[in-house]
Amino acid sequence: MSDLAIDVTVTPEYRAEESSEAESRFVFSYTVSVHNGSPHSVQLMARYWKITHGSGEHQEVRGKGVVGQQPLIGPGQQFRYTSRAMLQTPVGVMEGVYTLLDTSTQRVFEVAIPTFRLAVPYQLH
């Protein structure tokens, strides 16, 4: 199965009420949609994120599934979830990879998560 049949989109949002510029804490939520355009069910087994702060510092996050789940996504179906990231700077980027399992062939494959920007509104960077 081609990983092109799996479409990942991300919508970030700044969480001003949870952030504190004085404490260099900038909180963002991001909603991810994983659409399975393949003819087979897939299971999202693991995630990898690289979070890069505006300072150039980065951190990596790896784990099983997403938000405590390893969702099974049927043909033509979509799985959506929201999670959070905290930066030390008002601007940064995130990118990553999902590891999925084609349940019909038991083949494991990876799908890139497109790079997206995390930015406090009205920052000049």
Side-chain angles (χ1 to χ4, degrees):
M1 172 175 41
S2 167
D3 61 6
L4 297 176
I6 307 299
D7 184 43
V8 179
T9 58
V10 183
T11 306
E13 182 180 336
Y14 177 58
R15 310 295 295 181
E17 67 282 359
E18 298 171 45
S19 300
S20 170
E21 187 171 348
E23 297 173 14
S24 296
R25 184 180 70 237
F26 302 91
V27 180
F28 297 87
S29 65
Y30 55 92
T31 300
V32 180
S33 295
V34 181
H35 180 262
N36 180 5
S38 79
H40 307 287
S41 291
V42 297
Q43 187 169 13
L44 200 163
M45 303 301 292
R47 71 189 180 285
Y48 163 78
W49 288 108
K50 180 179 178 185
I51 305 166
T52 304
H53 302 257
S55 61
E57 181 181 333
H58 74 271
Q59 63 191 90
E60 297 183 354
V61 178
R62 297 176 192 274
K64 284 187 174 184
V66 291
V67 294
Q69 301 178 53
Q70 289 182 312
L72 185 65
I73 309 167
Q77 292 184 339
Q78 176 175 278
F79 177 76
R80 177 178 288 170
Y81 73 95
T82 300
S83 191
R84 296 185 185 290
M86 190 174 358
L87 299 182
Q88 299 164 353
T89 58
V91 177
V93 294
M94 283 181 69
E95 60 190 306
V97 174
Y98 288 138
T99 301
L100 295 110
L101 172 72
D102 179 333
T103 61
S104 67
T105 64
Q106 298 302 301
R107 185 175 76 85
V108 174
F109 64 101
E110 292 185 336
V111 173
I113 304 164
T115 301
F116 59 96
R117 188 169 188 253
L118 302 171
V120 174
Y122 313 113
Q123 291 289 310
L124 298 175
H125 287 281

